[in-house]
């Protein structure tokens, strides 16, 4: 079956522009997570949803970052007024539920801010 | 906040040698998961440990969860070139108060294997 998909796979933008990153989880998965992964480091938690409810957004770095999952399926991570320090791999993962279930990761979106 | 540390950061071994990576959490965990990420790939789930002192095996891989549920280890016996990659632990903490939980990933141990 289809895994987690993310789009775009690569995004190059200029500083100050807004970007929207999309995640399409595995069908039927309740929980959806957003991570940021720098080279040589582990995935850094940003936020997660159960259905359409945002359960924890404690990892969002500042108020330029926001996420939504309005219908409990596809999610969008939006970064406003991008800065060079936002350049990273952004990964989405989904799981059946948020506890004691493996996370299935998507291929990621490589964001480069010039 | 919760911190998860992994050591070593890198490990280079000769094919056939054993490999161990260690994971330590600053807080007591509800569970721990291990993931493997191949170069250029994404993390792929290997296993989950939930019980204090739990030991699980997958062929040449042995996973342990500490008695205090604050540390874990992954041991690979007789490494093969297919074992190359970065191994991450992810410590889960779930709150009955907030009914929410999340996993914190360590920074991984990158294993290279010389044929």
């Amino acid at each position: 079956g289809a895994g987690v998909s993310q789009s775009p796979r690569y995004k190059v933008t200029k500083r100050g522009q807004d970007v929207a990153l999309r995640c399409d989880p595995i069908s039927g998965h309740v929980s959806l997570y957003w991570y940021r992964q720098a080279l040589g480091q582990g995935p850094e938690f940003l936020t997660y949803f159960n259905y359409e409810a945002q359960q924890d957004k404690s990892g969002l770095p500042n108020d330029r970052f926001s996420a939504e999952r309005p219908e409990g399926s596809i999610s969008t991570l939006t970064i406003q007024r991008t800065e060079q320090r936002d350049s990273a791999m952004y990964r989405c993962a989904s799981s059946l539920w948020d506890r004691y279930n493996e996370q299935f990761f998507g291929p990621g979106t490589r964001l480069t801010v010039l | 906040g919760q911190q998860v540390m992994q050591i070593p950061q890198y490990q280079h071994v000769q094919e056939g040698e054993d490999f161990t990576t260690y994971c330590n959490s600053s807080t007591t965990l509800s569970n721990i998961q291990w993931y493997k990420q191949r170069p250029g790939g994404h993390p792929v789930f290997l296993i989950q440990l939930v019980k204090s002192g739990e030991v699980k095996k997958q062929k040449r891989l042995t996973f342990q969860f500490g008695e205090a549920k604050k540390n874990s280890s992954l041991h690979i016996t007789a490494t093969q070139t297919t074992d190359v990659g970065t191994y991450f632990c992810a410590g889960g903490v779930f709150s009955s108060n907030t009914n929410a939980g999340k996993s914190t990933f360590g920074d991984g141990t990158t294993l290279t294997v010389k044929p």
Side-chain angles (χ1 to χ4, degrees):
Chain A
V4 177
S5 61
Q6 292 186 245
S7 61
R9 292 291 307 278
Y10 302 90
K11 178 69 176 178
V12 180
T13 190
K14 292 183 179 179
R15 187 178 54 184
Q17 297 295 307
D18 297 351
V19 295
L21 312 181
R22 172 185 165 127
C23 172
D24 198 343
I26 293 173
S27 178
H29 278 195
V30 168
S31 302
L32 184 149
Y33 306 82
W34 283 100
Y35 294 92
R36 181 169 64 179
Q37 187 173 17
L39 203 61
Q41 295 184 7
E44 174 195 8
F45 172 83
L46 296 177
T47 185
Y48 92 95
F49 296 82
N50 281 341
Y51 299 107
E52 71 283 356
Q54 193 169 21
Q55 297 291 122
D56 186 332
K57 57 180 181 179
S58 61
L60 295 176
N62 51 60
D63 60 8
R64 295 186 297 106
F65 288 73
S66 63
E68 62 175 9
R69 194 187 184 197
E71 296 180 359
S73 179
I74 293 169
S75 177
T76 303
L77 176 69
T78 302
I79 308 174
Q80 295 179 315
R81 305 179 302 281
T82 52
E83 301 177 4
Q84 286 186 329
R85 60 177 172 161
D86 299 334
S87 296
M89 176 71 81
Y90 288 83
R91 296 198 184 274
C92 172
S94 71
S95 65
L96 281 171
W97 188 240
D98 63 358
R99 301 173 192 223
Y100 309 112
N101 283 282
E102 67 178 280
Q103 295 184 33
F104 294 82
F105 281 81
T109 294
R110 170 72 66 186
L111 174 65
T112 302
V113 182
L114 303 176
Chain B
Q2 180 195 4
Q3 289 186 320
V4 174
M5 308 295 293
Q6 271 187 265
I7 56 170
Q9 187 176 4
Y10 301 98
Q11 186 76 57
H12 312 283
V13 301
Q14 191 80 31
E15 189 173 20
E17 292 181 338
D18 293 356
F19 159 76
T20 304
T21 173
Y22 300 91
C23 178
N24 292 286
S25 170
S26 58
T27 58
T28 302
L29 301 170
S30 302
N31 72 331
I32 195 151
Q33 297 178 337
W34 286 90
Y35 292 79
K36 177 182 179 180
Q37 185 172 7
R38 295 182 182 274
H42 57 271
V44 175
F45 176 82
L46 293 176
I47 207 160
Q48 173 175 260
L49 304 169
V50 178
K51 299 177 183 177
S52 170
E54 189 169 12
V55 178
K56 286 189 176 181
K57 293 189 175 183
Q58 286 181 350
K59 297 182 180 179
R60 295 178 294 105
L61 279 61
T62 302
F63 304 83
Q64 294 188 339
F65 200 8
E67 293 290 340
K69 299 184 73 173
K70 295 182 74 172
N71 57 72
S72 181
S73 65
L74 158 59
H75 180 81
I76 302 178
T77 304
T79 55
Q80 300 175 358
T81 54
T82 53
D83 295 326
V84 163
T86 300
Y87 293 85
F88 295 101
C89 64
V93 176
F94 304 118
S95 169
S96 56
N97 292 336
T98 62
N99 203 35
K102 67 183 182 188
S103 293
T104 300
F105 281 76
D107 280 338
T109 297
T110 298
L111 172 66
T112 56
V113 179
K114 186 176 181 181

